[in-house]
Amino acid sequence: MALNLRQKQTECIIRMLNLNQPVNPTGTANEEVYKILIYDRFCQNILSPLIHVKDLRKHGVTLYFLIDKDRKPVHDVPAVYFVQPNHSNIQRIVADASHSLYDSFHLNFSSSIPRPLLEDLASGALNSDSINRISKVHDQYLEFVTLEDNLFSLSQKSTYVQLNDPSAGDKEIEDIIERVVSGLFCVLATLAVVPIIRCPRGGPAEMVASALDQKLRDHLFSKNNLFSEGGGFVSSFQRPILCVFDRNFELSAGIQHDFRYRPLVHDIIGLKLNRLSVPGEKGGMKSYELDSSDPFWMANGLLEFPEVAVEIETQLNKYKKDVDEVNRKTGGTAGAEFDGTDLMGNTKHLMNAVNSLPELTERKQVIDKHTNIATVLLGEIKERSLDSYVKKENDMMIRGGIDQNELLGVLKGKGTKIDKLRFAIMYIISSETINPSEAEAVEAALRESEVDTSAFQYVKKIKSLNVSLASANSASRNNIVDWAEKLYGQSISAVTAGMKNLLSSDRQLALTRTVEALMEGKPNPEVDSYLVFDPRAPKSSSGTSSSHLKGPFKEAIVFMIGGGNYVEYGSLQDLAQRQQPVKHVIYGTTEILTGMEFVEQLTFLGQKMGLGSSVATSSATQ
């Protein structure tokens, strides 16, 4: 069975809302109990993409509150708490229990509650003589936000900054790694799978993979372990592979402009917890939800923007045609005399028309929603020349550089300060070697546009320290050239001119290529040096690669430490669909970032290192 993270997490939440009782096939408890739900901000974000208000009502939740708000007592009603296990939440729970706010307390923690906090809870409840009100305490292992069936985020802010901060001590780095490992453990516990873990050597990826391997081993030794799949040897074809990477593996994917619908919507309008706001027709803002309940979003999210615009037009014409058809069948013909013989036929048409109205109305709402979103995107694309940025960035990555006049022309042309900064950083990343006078001219052009150059300087410094960035990109570039020539039998310039859509998409992502190689499990120089961890195998064999750990794998979980994005998510979903038979890839990250948000983190690091000009210091950690 394919791993469906959204479905699994939703099932866990529904069970929790039903006081951790088994639920029947209709998804409700056998005995309906009215209750109150209390959550903190983090757990509100976990619930938000999965459970709507109508779903809460269905499961007997009549009232819901944030834990830090003042609340009045509600007697004879149980309360379900869903919160992170931290000191302030424990204090608040003890206070609520001591004031007898609710009849009974069902406590659910988003991850495993540490023993000292559990002791604080017990002693607080004992001292206030309210221990009898606490019915159950559960560790739910749900400390991650699932946005789509195959997309999750740990919602851990600024991990990239914290891991790359030159002033960070060993203890701070260990704490961050531990937090990431705890979040990934929650994901695996929810899916109930123990994967084979692969990662590049060194850096945060190896630290996370190694610590996660140890945490899983320790857990598998415990009597009541969460992983229900059969113990002992399970072939790799039934177990997923977990590929762990660090953002520095491929910086460009976090910075580049992209022309596909999902990344474009996220990057330009900002998609938070599957929601966004765009200006309405009559002033004010209009909020929309973009998730699995929206068929247009699911079907067209990976298409390039011009194709999406055509698809909206097609759907609108189809809708108009269907409305005309309904009107024609129910309206009768003008001037025709009434003939009793057609009464049954007319009644049938009317019934069909009435039945089709809700579906037509829903279709119209979806079309209007995406028309509004596309209109906003089009305005931004024209104003900022985003299509030009996308094309030139792709050309740079393929050719390994750009003509200086063209480069400076972009920096002095249309686009926001951040657009120009992202373009300049892409120039640094894509160049085989950095020409000092050219780099100086780029910096001067950025300063002229009043752009803070700290992020540019920071990446330039990484580039000079880390030659592997250049080698990874040159390998990636050669791959594209080979691929294009094999596919079309044409020279690269001819392909670039006519087929920029194909080249701008996925073959250029080193991440996707690497995941494909790891899933295939065939000898490949790009991944042969990757570490292997199997938490089910004896400790001595971990880190080496025995044959059953090599694959092939039909399911993968890809995790990016330090911030991911919809560009990589889309690329991996494309990869999964391209395979024969179709494979399954879940993509997760410490947080999902727009290009602007990631560049702000680079800026913050550049400033900490005393690089660049602080013309416009922005709050980089937001």
Side-chain angles (χ1 to χ4, degrees), residues 402-421:
I402 186 172
D403 174 69
Q404 186 172 353
N405 294 335
E406 201 178 349
L407 173 67
L408 297 176
V410 172
L411 297 177
K412 289 173 180 173
K414 287 181 174 179
T416 63
K417 292 178 185 180
I418 292 284
D419 288 332
K420 292 174 181 180
L421 182 55

Side-chain angles (χ1 to χ4, degrees), residues 539-601:
K539 184 74 175 162
S540 58
S541 68
S542 209
T544 61
S545 51
S546 56
S547 59
H548 84 279
L549 305 180
K550 283 291 194 181
F553 297 91
K554 59 180 178 181
E555 295 176 321
I557 302 162
V558 179
F559 187 76
M560 180 60 74
I561 305 161
N565 49 67
Y566 282 89
V567 175
E568 288 176 334
Y569 172 56
S571 176
L572 288 166
Q573 293 315 300
D574 253 8
L575 165 72
Q577 295 305 314
R578 243 187 4 243
Q579 302 290 313
Q580 284 304 328
V582 171
K583 292 192 175 175
H584 190 156
V585 180
I586 293 175
Y587 175 69
T589 174
T590 43
E591 60 177 326
I592 294 181
L593 297 171
T594 63
M596 178 175 174
E597 287 164 342
F598 183 53
V599 165
E600 282 180 345
Q601 294 198 15

Side-chain angles (χ1 to χ4, degrees), residues 13-198:
I13 288 167
I14 288 170
R15 194 174 59 240
M16 176 186 81
L17 293 177
N18 287 296
L19 308 181
N20 291 292
Q21 300 298 318
V23 287
N24 57 36
T26 60
T28 54
N30 295 324
E31 179 193 356
E32 187 160 28
V33 178
Y34 290 105
K35 58 197 84 80
I36 287 172
L37 175 64
I38 313 291
Y39 43 64
D40 59 12
R41 294 263 175 215
F42 189 90
C43 292
Q44 182 182 28
N45 291 348
I46 294 173
L47 293 170
S48 173
L50 301 176
I51 300 276
H52 296 96
V53 173
K54 66 176 188 298
D55 300 319
L56 291 177
R57 299 266 185 272
K58 178 180 159 189
H59 298 292
V61 175
T62 51
L63 295 168
Y64 44 93
F65 302 105
L66 278 162
I67 192 167
D68 54 8
K69 292 280 184 283
D70 287 331
R71 289 167 273 119
K72 293 187 169 62
V74 182
H75 301 296
D76 304 324
V77 173
V80 174
Y81 280 72
F82 181 37
V83 293
Q84 283 188 296
N86 58 40
H87 186 62
S88 61
N89 283 342
I90 296 293
Q91 281 186 316
R92 193 65 193 240
I93 291 167
V94 170
D96 289 354
S98 63
H99 292 126
S100 305
L101 283 193
Y102 313 112
D103 186 49
S104 59
F105 288 66
H106 296 257
L107 306 181
N108 300 276
F109 294 104
S110 56
S111 62
S112 181
I113 180 170
R115 189 163 185 85
L117 286 179
L118 197 56
E119 287 168 359
D120 289 350
L121 174 65
S123 59
L126 269 171
N127 296 339
S128 61
D129 200 25
S130 54
I131 195 90
N132 59 322
R133 293 195 178 278
I134 296 181
S135 296
K136 290 269 173 71
V137 179
H138 288 271
D139 292 337
Q140 291 291 358
Y141 297 101
L142 294 172
E143 198 154 293
F144 57 95
V145 177
T146 307
L147 297 167
E148 294 188 16
D149 290 352
N150 302 318
L151 175 65
F152 71 90
S153 160
L154 301 185
S155 282
Q156 297 178 0
K157 303 278 181 226
S158 303
T159 311
Y160 185 81
V161 168
Q162 292 159 1
L163 287 171
N164 291 279
D165 186 342
S167 64
D170 288 352
K171 177 76 178 76
E172 291 156 279
I173 298 288
E174 279 167 26
D175 288 349
I176 296 155
I177 297 295
E178 196 178 316
R179 244 191 3 256
V180 173
V181 167
S182 170
L184 270 175
F185 182 84
C186 287
V187 171
L188 298 176
T190 301
L191 289 169
V193 293
V194 179
I196 310 279
I197 306 168
R198 300 290 308 264

Side-chain angles (χ1 to χ4, degrees), residues 227-470:
F227 300 97
S228 50
E229 59 173 48
F233 177 82
V234 182
S235 86
S236 68
F237 210 65
Q238 290 158 327
R239 285 170 69 187
I241 181 173
L242 168 62
C243 314
V244 183
F245 298 94
D246 159 40
R247 184 68 276 158
N248 287 331
F249 174 78
E250 191 172 22
L251 265 185
S252 56
I255 297 163
Q256 69 191 70
H257 292 85
D258 198 276
F259 218 45
R260 282 167 300 182
Y261 194 39
R262 245 196 208 106
L264 205 54
V265 167
H266 178 240
D267 203 31
I268 292 180
I269 303 174
L271 190 60
K272 293 273 184 227
L273 300 171
N274 293 341
R275 289 192 176 85
L276 55 76
S277 296
V278 294
E281 291 164 18
K282 299 167 185 167
M285 299 299 282
K286 207 163 175 50
S287 282
Y288 293 122
E289 205 156 334
L290 293 172
D291 59 14
S292 54
S293 65
D294 181 334
F296 188 92
W297 178 247
M298 298 315 288
N300 302 295
L302 297 177
L303 295 181
E304 303 260 331
F305 181 68
E307 296 171 271
V308 173
V310 170
E311 187 57 30
I312 292 173
E313 190 71 26
T314 307
Q315 298 274 3
L316 183 60
N317 291 336
K318 190 170 181 304
Y319 165 78
K320 285 178 179 169
K321 191 167 155 242
D322 290 351
V323 169
D324 289 344
E325 182 70 9
V326 170
N327 289 340
R328 189 179 63 74
K329 283 184 174 175
T330 57
T333 47
E337 284 187 31
F338 176 73
D339 177 2
T341 55
D342 199 30
L343 183 61
M344 287 300 287
N346 283 342
T347 308
K348 191 178 164 194
H349 286 319
L350 277 170
M351 288 296 292
N352 289 341
V354 168
N355 291 337
S356 66
L357 277 175
E359 190 253 346
L360 284 170
T361 308
E362 203 172 303
R363 271 168 60 191
K364 183 71 168 74
Q365 284 170 346
V366 170
I367 292 165
D368 288 348
K369 179 205 302 192
H370 289 281
T371 303
N372 289 348
I373 292 170
T375 305
V376 172
L377 291 178
L378 189 59
E380 291 286 323
I381 290 166
K382 284 183 172 170
E383 193 178 319
R384 291 158 59 181
S385 253
L386 290 176
D387 50 339
S388 171
Y389 277 97
V390 171
K391 182 177 185 326
K392 288 191 165 73
E393 283 169 7
N394 282 313
D395 287 352
M396 273 197 293
M397 292 300 282
I398 292 159
R399 295 208 303 256
I402 186 172
D403 174 69
Q404 186 172 353
N405 294 335
E406 201 178 349
L407 173 67
L408 297 176
V410 172
L411 297 177
K412 289 173 180 173
K414 287 181 174 179
T416 63
K417 292 178 185 180
I418 292 284
D419 288 332
K420 292 174 181 180
L421 182 55
R422 285 164 71 179
F423 188 75
I425 295 171
M426 287 298 290
Y427 149 73
I428 284 286
I429 291 172
S430 65
S431 301
E432 288 285 337
T433 53
I434 299 166
N435 177 331
S437 64
E438 208 169 86
E440 187 53 54
V442 169
E443 277 176 56
L446 288 173
R447 281 196 291 270
E448 205 177 296
S449 298
E450 297 185 338
V451 178
D452 182 344
T453 60
S454 309
F456 178 81
Q457 299 267 27
Y458 177 74
V459 175
K460 193 168 86 171
K461 196 167 183 65
I462 287 181
K463 177 84 175 186
S464 58
L465 294 173
N466 185 355
V467 187
S468 70
L469 195 68

